[in-house]
Every structure is written in C-alpha cells, then in structure tokens.
Amino acid sequence: MRLKALFAASAVLLTSFSVAQAGTVHTTWEKFKAGHAMHRLSVDGQKAMMDVFQARDLLAQGKTDAAIPPLYDAQKRFKAASADNKKFFAAESQLQPAPQHPVSATHTPVANPTTWVPVGGEFIVSETLVPEKQAALANANKQFQAGQTQQAQQSLQVVGEDADFILALAPLEQSEGALYRAKVFTEGRQPQQAVEALNQLLDGVVFVSDDVVEKVAPSTPAKKSN
C-alpha cells in the first residue's frame, strides 16, 4: 500500500534528520526543501500512524489481543502530538490537495475548521520532468523507506531543485475519535468493525504541498529558553 510506505519512508527521514543537523546531510536536504519540510512533521503523529497500520494488519488477521497494544500506543502518541508545536488549525477548504495524492474515494471532508497534525511526507516531481529525474526521485523515496539515506541523497542530487515535498495531514479530533472506536471494537472482539474504524481514520488523511502549509500555518521562531 502506497500510503503505508509513505509513512514508513518519512519515519526514516525523521530519524536521520534528528542526528544530522549539520554538515553535508543538512546542506543537501536544505537544497531540496527537505530540511524545512522535515521540521514540520510531528514525530509522535507519524509514529501514531505506523501504530494504526500495525493494529489494522493484526486485526485483519483476526489477532485482536495482539492489536490492543499498538492501539493504546497510537492513542498516547496522538495525545502527545496534540501538545507539540507541529499542529495547526485550519479549515479543510484551505488545504489544496496535492494532485499526486488525491484523497480516497471514501473521504469525508471535515466541515468545520479543525486541528491538523503533519504525520508523513514524500518527495515528488512534476510529470514534465525528464525520465532520468523521475526515476531518480522514485529511487530516492524507495531508498529512504529502506533506510538507505546516503544512496537517497545521491539520487536527490540528480533531481536537483525540481524536487518538491508534500505532507500528509491527519485531522486530530476525528482521528482520535476513530481510534477510540477501533479500540472499543477490538476489546469487544469485533475485529471487522475495528478495521472499518481504522479505515475511516486513514480516509481522513489529506496530502498537500509544503507550500500550502506554509501559507496556512507559517513557521514561527523557536522560543529562547531563559
């Protein structure tokens, strides 16, 4: 599933970025807009989504007991994400979906302004790029997913400034509600209903360009400690 792979890839990106704040890696990622984009991602939100995928896989196999721990972990991580500075408040109508990642056919738009958590990301290229750059970008995303950060950096050098970054945003309140329902169904030994609740959570995710998020929720300088 492409959605699951996207969150796995961004997990590697987040881990790598946290230990490479200076030098060649930092310089390379800043050149391709990744440094700025990575700062937007919620570590807890991204981990919560991976917990959701793990729980859904287990429930699909009928392993209800094994699915309970990742559901509890996802709840804790969404709560932590609600307290970090990565979230922002906006109406869904303000978020222009990235054409490379349209919402699912079963997506129900959020009617009122709500809190969004950046839970994943992916490098993209324009369809007008030459095949060589398109292939290099595809390789970069695969390499990030596999944890091959050095190889991915080399692939991005081929793409150059033609690379862009899109963010996966989860509506916080709606996601927490779906997750709560999934936990109740799981504890009640109703795995199919639990899977449906988790699918509703995933259907709520929207994908937008980092440029759009910049307009809706511009970055603010970090507060200096006393």
Side-chain angles (χ1 to χ4, degrees):
M1 175 184 288
R2 185 183 180 189
L3 183 62
K4 184 176 181 180
L6 182 151
F7 291 124
S10 60
V12 175
L13 281 166
L14 282 168
T15 302
S16 302
F17 189 77
S18 66
V19 298
Q21 293 296 320
T24 303
V25 175
H26 179 72
T27 302
T28 301
W29 281 359
E30 283 293 342
K31 181 178 180 181
F32 300 108
K33 306 180 183 179
H36 178 69
M38 284 298 108
H39 281 303
R40 291 202 178 280
L41 290 178
S42 168
V43 176
D44 287 304
Q46 193 276 330
K47 290 180 179 178
M49 295 302 290
M50 293 309 298
D51 290 329
V52 168
F53 280 113
Q54 181 184 4
R56 193 180 68 160
D57 289 345
L58 290 168
L59 287 165
Q61 300 170 34
K63 300 178 180 179
T64 52
D65 288 338
I68 292 176
L71 288 174
Y72 272 87
D73 287 342
Q75 284 188 310
K76 293 177 182 178
R77 285 167 171 161
F78 267 123
K79 183 176 181 179
S82 71
D84 68 27
N85 63 354
K86 309 300 182 181
K87 67 182 185 301
F88 63 92
F89 192 76
E92 184 168 343
S93 59
Q94 294 177 266
L95 307 175
Q96 305 164 17
Q100 299 87 348
H101 259 297
V103 295
S104 70
T106 53
H107 175 78
T108 301
V110 180
N112 300 315
T114 192
T115 299
W116 298 90
V117 178
V119 295
E122 181 181 41
F123 289 106
I124 60 171
V125 292
S126 168
E127 294 181 357
T128 61
L129 290 183
V130 297
E132 178 187 5
K133 290 189 176 183
Q134 291 180 347
L137 209 294
N139 285 335
N141 279 315
K142 291 179 181 179
Q143 289 159 345
F144 273 128
Q145 180 184 349
Q148 301 169 351
T149 55
Q150 294 298 324
Q151 295 91 325
Q153 290 163 34
Q154 293 174 2
S155 296
L156 286 174
Q157 289 175 0
V158 176
V159 182
E161 295 182 355
D162 292 313
D164 199 0
F165 195 77
I166 57 175
L167 290 165
L169 306 176
L172 180 62
E173 182 179 350
Q174 292 78 4
S175 297
E176 289 182 316
L179 191 57
Y180 175 78
R181 293 193 300 275
K183 187 189 72 170
V184 171
F185 284 129
T186 300
E187 292 176 337
R189 300 300 187 271
Q190 296 177 286
Q192 183 57 46
Q193 290 88 334
V195 168
E196 291 175 0
L198 294 180
N199 284 339
Q200 290 172 3
L201 187 159
L202 296 174
D203 285 345
V205 174
V206 298
F207 301 86
V208 303
S209 168
D210 180 54
D211 293 337
V212 172
V213 178
E214 175 67 27
K215 295 176 183 177
V216 176
S219 300
T220 55
K223 294 182 180 179
K224 295 182 179 180
S225 57
N226 296 327

